[in-house]
Amino acid sequence: YDVSLLINEAKVENFETETGKLTIGLPYTLKTGEAGDRIWVYHVAKDGTTQQMNEGRQYDNDRGMAFFTTSHLSVYAVTYIAATTDPGTDDPDTDDPGTDDPGTDDPGTDDPGTDDPGTDDPGTNDPETPDIDDDGAVILPVEVKGNVSTGVATVTISTGSITQTIIDAAIKAADANGTEPTIVIKIDKPVDVSGQPIDIKEVRVAIPVSDLRIVADSEVKNIKIASNVGEVTLNTDAMKDLIEKAQGEDAATVEVVIAKEDEARLEELTEAQQETLSGDTVREVYDVSLFVNNAKLEDFETTGKLTIGLPYTRKTNEVDSRVGVIHVAEDGTTQPQTGVKYERGLATFTTNHLSVYAVTYIAATDDPGTDDPGTDDPDDEMPTRGSPSGGCSTGAGMTALLALGLVSMMVWAKRD
């Protein structure tokens, strides 16, 4: 459907109401076996990006109308996302036995696209009852926009989204779970107008400095961005450093970008980086960066901590302890990241700066269960050129040199 406004026969382009609300009902007749809670409406922009319309979402069975509330008029598509089981049963993607009865008008119906059991649709949550993830972090409700052609998912946090209710819920959840108070921005894969998940290669999350300041000044210790492309967690000191970079302007915006480097993106790196990353130990490459007011922060280093999780699906014959991560500088030198842990399909480590990182796998020449020399030995942190093995060659080379020296001493002693 195309819903538009005309004044004196002239179409009002890009009309958007600032304080009012537009409630729209689009006709759709359910087919036999279809359920009203599987109806979703998407706004389709001219560039092909889609936005799920969550506010006021409900399907009126009696009238055969899909209703939602918005602030602008445009092209909208009514979609039906079928459950993989009986449409009348609980959504298999949400496992919550309390899923609303199909066809009801409750806007809190579970989102069929989310992965967290029982997690409500983030666009329709009641802010008074924030959801908690499996790690005891409070989920901040967000809307995700996905671009089919570019594979980019964007989230823009509105000013004032991080309320005292969210802060209090994060503290309470942390007390109950024995964890640090954390707010997580969870980015589920957006879907296209046909209801199919979009293949996301890059995630961009914009957070107002004013909201960042609210978190930094509270008892909440972390803001975490979680997506299928990767995870980034900012601790309190990192947030304060970013606020300082923005010169303390509350109107400024901090943007976190996580991109998986495919063949086309790799060509944008320097020749030295490309040469280093062509090694057979490199499994995946990611570029993690920060922007303030759309300007990239070059060489940003924080006094705080940035915890990064990079996705990698290891092969059947691979072991967790051999998975490592290296930082790849523009001149091609590499720096292995210490303390890398591989859990839940993520290679996670803590750093104080963001850059190009590669997930590596160093096969052991003997027992695969031995410690990974690329992640545990602090002596391996010396940058190396063209050695994507994460510093493993440094330790092995040093051992060889020591052995050679010992043999030489024995030979000269015998000659004497």
Side-chain angles (χ1 to χ4, degrees):
Y1 295 87
D2 187 355
V3 188
S4 54
L5 283 173
L6 291 87
I7 296 180
N8 292 335
E9 299 184 354
K11 186 175 182 178
V12 180
E13 299 288 350
N14 302 320
F15 171 76
E16 191 161 330
T17 174
E18 294 183 3
T19 57
K21 287 186 177 182
L22 304 167
T23 300
I24 300 175
L26 303 177
Y28 175 72
T29 302
L30 292 175
K31 299 177 182 178
T32 304
E34 290 186 343
D37 68 333
R38 311 303 298 187
I39 298 295
W40 298 84
V41 176
Y42 285 86
H43 163 232
V44 186
K46 289 183 178 180
D47 63 359
T49 57
T50 63
Q51 180 177 355
Q52 193 178 77
M53 308 310 294
N54 295 314
E55 186 177 354
R57 168 184 170 260
Q58 63 179 19
Y59 181 80
D60 189 324
N61 278 307
D62 295 333
R63 300 166 65 185
M65 302 276 280
F67 286 95
F68 62 97
T69 301
T70 182
S71 60
H72 61 279
L73 299 180
S74 185
V75 175
Y76 293 99
V78 179
T79 68
Y80 184 83
I81 306 175
T84 56
T85 58
D86 177 8
T89 60
D90 287 343
D91 180 359
D93 285 335
T94 56
D95 291 347
D96 182 4
T99 303
D100 291 333
D101 183 31
T104 60
D105 296 335
D106 181 6
T109 302
D110 286 344
D111 179 357
T114 58
D115 296 325
D116 183 13
T119 300
D120 288 338
D121 175 7
T124 58
N125 279 347
D126 180 358
E128 297 302 319
T129 55
D131 289 315
I132 312 297
D133 72 1
D134 293 338
D135 296 323
V138 164
I139 300 173
L140 182 68
V142 296
E143 286 191 358
V144 183
K145 295 182 180 180
N147 189 308
V148 178
S149 59
T150 62
V152 177
T154 58
V155 171
T156 302
I157 307 298
S158 302
T159 301
S161 294
I162 301 179
T163 62
Q164 190 60 45
T165 300
I166 296 290
I167 298 291
D168 292 342
I171 297 170
K172 183 178 179 181
D175 289 341
N177 289 273
T179 56
E180 288 189 339
T182 301
I183 295 173
V184 61
I185 301 170
K186 185 180 178 184
I187 304 168
D188 293 310
K189 275 190 176 183
V191 296
D192 59 22
V193 293
S194 65
Q196 295 301 310
I198 298 174
D199 183 21
I200 296 301
K201 299 176 182 177
E202 179 177 318
V203 168
R204 310 182 73 94
V205 179
I207 308 172
V209 167
S210 57
D211 284 49
L212 207 60
R213 189 192 305 279
I214 290 172
V215 180
D217 291 342
S218 72
E219 294 181 40
V220 173
K221 301 297 182 183
N222 308 292
I223 283 186
K224 178 180 180 180
I225 295 163
S227 75
N228 69 297
V229 184
E231 297 183 353
V232 174
T233 302
L234 312 172
N235 76 349
T236 301
D237 289 335
M239 288 183 243
K240 290 180 178 179
D241 286 344
L242 285 171
I243 293 170
E244 185 177 342
K245 281 288 184 181
Q247 298 179 342
E249 296 181 8
D250 283 351
T253 300
V254 170
E255 187 174 36
V256 181
V257 180
I258 313 170
K260 183 177 181 179
E261 303 289 72
D262 55 16
E263 188 174 342
R265 292 170 182 264
L266 285 172
E267 293 179 357
E268 299 176 5
L269 302 178
T270 66
E271 290 185 7
Q273 285 176 316
Q274 292 181 51
E275 180 183 352
T276 296
L277 293 169
S278 64
D280 57 8
T281 61
V282 173
R283 295 295 189 263
E284 302 285 0
V285 181
Y286 296 88
D287 189 354
V288 189
S289 52
L290 284 168
F291 293 75
V292 172
N293 287 342
N294 298 319
K296 186 174 182 178
L297 295 181
E298 301 289 351
D299 302 320
F300 171 75
E301 287 198 11
T302 175
T303 56
K305 290 182 179 180
L306 302 167
T307 301
I308 301 175
L310 304 178
Y312 172 63
T313 303
R314 62 174 178 77
K315 300 173 184 177
T316 305
N317 62 338
E318 294 180 344
V319 294
D320 296 355
S321 63
R322 310 303 300 181
V323 177
V325 175
I326 56 172
H327 162 234
V328 185
E330 290 187 354
D331 62 0
T333 56
T334 63
Q335 176 125 10
Q337 303 303 295
T338 59
V340 177
K341 293 182 180 179
Y342 182 77
E343 296 176 334
R344 296 185 293 183
L346 291 173
T348 304
F349 61 99
T350 300
T351 182
N352 65 347
H353 63 279
L354 299 180
S355 184
V356 174
Y357 291 100
V359 179
T360 63
Y361 186 82
I362 307 168
T365 54
D366 45 17
D367 178 13
T370 56
D371 289 338
D372 180 1
T375 57
D376 297 329
D377 186 358
D379 292 334
D380 287 341
E381 290 187 33
M382 181 181 295
T384 57
R385 176 64 181 271
S387 175
S389 59
C392 182
S393 58
T394 306
M398 189 64 81
T399 302
L401 286 172
L402 289 171
L404 181 61
L406 180 59
V407 172
S408 300
M409 289 171 63
M410 292 173 66
V411 171
W412 281 107
K414 187 174 182 179
R415 289 183 59 181
D416 289 342

